[in-house]
Amino acid sequence: MGLNAELGSRMTERFNVAGAMLVKLYGRQTTEDTEYAERARSVADIGIRMAMTRTVFMASLTLIAALGTALVYGLGGMSAVNGGLTIGTLTALTALLSRLYGPLTQLSNVRVDLLTALVAFERIFEVLDLRPLIREASQPVDIDPRSVSVRLDGVGFTYPAADVVSLPSLEGTTVGDREASAPVLTGIDLEIPAGTMVAVVGHSGAGKSTLMSLVARLYDPTVGAVCLNGVDAREVSFASMGEAVGVVTQEAHLFHDTIRANLEYARPGATEHELVDALRAAQVWSVVEGLPAGLDTVVGDRGHRLSGGEKQRLAIARLLLKGPGLIVLDEATAHLDSESEVAVQAALDQALQGRTSMVIAHRLSTVRNAHLIVVVQSGTIVERGTHVELLELGGVYADLYHTQFSDHEH
């Protein structure tokens, strides 16, 4: 069971679209073939040994049953000739003997089946016993999903230790040996009124994405509280949170399904007119309209049949269909070329109208018009203000801005 699980995990990781592409780009096909063959051979060897053992065992039981029957007929026949047994008694003994071997054969297989089931149940119960870190309150509260304000009060966060969130059987290591990380965020205070745009900037590793994860309640803060419309996010119902908050990440994820199905995931039962309107607003309808099957075009695993800019705009169209009051953008244009960035930025401008938004951006040119810009460094907010105010301050933001645009000039 363990080897089968490892083999399945390796196939899923290495031979999906992204994994197979990486293997090919690095020229590791031979190595991967060899390693996979070795693992498959181990699974096959164990399977063959189990099959041979079972075959020998069953053959032995059959042989014993045959010898027992022959012995009964031999000794019983001699006794019947000598008058010690009747023919009817001998026949009854033989019938009873055959009825005895069936249950004995079944009992002999119980140990193998039981051990196999115990291994499977051990892994199943390991998953079932792992308590989710994010749980719904016993009496959850619903909030207005169309107009959302955000407040962070003294928020601090430390990623949990591996033994809290990991499964040893899936990781193949002793997770308890790894300790929790140092605090990622400390003392974050931030107020975002409904309908305003706040940009979060800073160097890589400063804690920007973690801050966004807390607002979307992918994690709960270790210290302090994240409040939506004045309600602690831990008290907000999952359904209400799902309606109120929308997220667009660096890598838009699309299911291996049609464009229509990917869009309807945000709003099941959306009409054709609503789908087209969302695609037009996301600046991607012209692309979809030109596809052979239109909305019924299959995008492939993780949307690999589309370009990066097209995937991002489809993700924005899906977000527009959902219509959340709070939009979280985590470097939504980070990996796009200039032409795609312009199209995606136009789609984002449409999506952000009238909504509360938190935007992570490395390209500072995209956040100049934000109502508030906060600069995160080493897990805490070190500067806050508008674009003009922060440039006049001459601090971290000004250094980032001048460095970025001096690089562009060169």
Side-chain angles (χ1 to χ4, degrees), residues 3-4 6-8 10-11 15 32-48:
L3 287 174
N4 266 323
E6 290 180 11
L7 186 63
R10 190 174 186 86
M11 287 181 63
F15 301 142
E32 290 294 336
D33 286 345
T34 303
E35 292 181 0
Y36 178 80
E38 290 176 355
R39 291 171 182 265
R41 192 178 301 113
S42 299
V43 173
D45 289 345
I46 290 178
I48 291 172

Side-chain angles (χ1 to χ4, degrees), residues 60-274:
S60 301
L61 285 177
T62 304
L63 178 61
I64 291 173
L67 291 176
T69 303
L71 186 63
V72 168
Y73 272 123
L75 296 178
M78 293 175 60
S79 180
V81 171
N82 296 328
L85 285 177
T86 64
I87 299 299
T89 303
L90 177 60
T91 305
L93 283 174
T94 306
L96 288 174
L97 187 64
S98 63
R99 296 292 298 271
L100 177 64
Y101 283 125
L104 286 177
T105 302
Q106 293 176 355
L107 285 174
S108 66
N109 291 324
V110 168
R111 181 175 178 275
V112 176
D113 295 337
L114 183 62
L115 290 176
T116 303
L118 285 176
V119 173
F121 278 123
E122 182 180 357
R123 298 174 73 91
I124 292 171
F125 288 136
E126 188 180 23
V127 175
L128 294 178
D129 292 341
L130 184 67
R131 297 189 64 193
L133 295 180
I134 306 301
R135 295 187 292 273
E136 191 170 40
S138 57
Q139 295 182 331
V141 178
D142 291 331
I143 62 173
D144 183 3
R146 295 164 297 180
S147 178
V148 182
S149 63
V150 182
R151 188 179 74 249
L152 287 81
D153 293 329
V155 168
F157 180 73
T158 301
Y159 282 103
D163 57 353
V164 178
V165 296
S166 300
L167 297 175
S169 63
L170 296 182
E171 295 214 355
T173 183
T174 307
V175 297
D177 293 341
R178 292 179 284 166
E179 298 179 354
S181 62
V184 180
L185 297 174
T186 54
I188 300 292
D189 293 301
L190 184 60
E191 185 86 23
I192 308 175
T196 60
M197 173 183 174
V198 170
V200 182
V201 302
H203 296 286
S204 297
K208 304 185 299 298
S209 294
T210 302
L211 184 62
M212 296 299 183
S213 298
L214 294 177
V215 173
R217 214 199 166 194
L218 300 179
Y219 298 101
D220 283 334
T222 309
V223 179
V226 176
C227 299
L228 304 180
N229 289 351
V231 180
D232 192 324
R234 287 168 286 207
E235 302 298 323
V236 178
S237 67
F238 283 171
S240 186
M241 178 69 74
E243 292 179 5
V245 183
V247 180
V248 178
T249 58
Q250 298 179 39
E251 292 290 338
H253 184 88
L254 299 177
F255 296 114
H256 181 51
D257 209 331
T258 63
I259 294 175
R260 184 190 304 274
N262 275 282
L263 293 175
E264 289 179 343
Y265 193 78
R267 191 198 293 178
T271 65
E272 186 97 3
H273 181 69
E274 289 172 333

Side-chain angles (χ1 to χ4, degrees), residues 264-306:
E264 289 179 343
Y265 193 78
R267 191 198 293 178
T271 65
E272 186 97 3
H273 181 69
E274 289 172 333
L275 297 178
V276 173
D277 283 348
L279 291 168
R280 288 187 191 278
Q283 313 293 316
V284 73
W285 170 241
S286 60
V287 175
V288 175
E289 191 179 27
L291 295 173
L295 283 167
D296 295 314
T297 301
V298 177
V299 299
D301 184 30
R302 301 179 65 88
H304 73 273
R305 294 174 183 169
L306 303 173

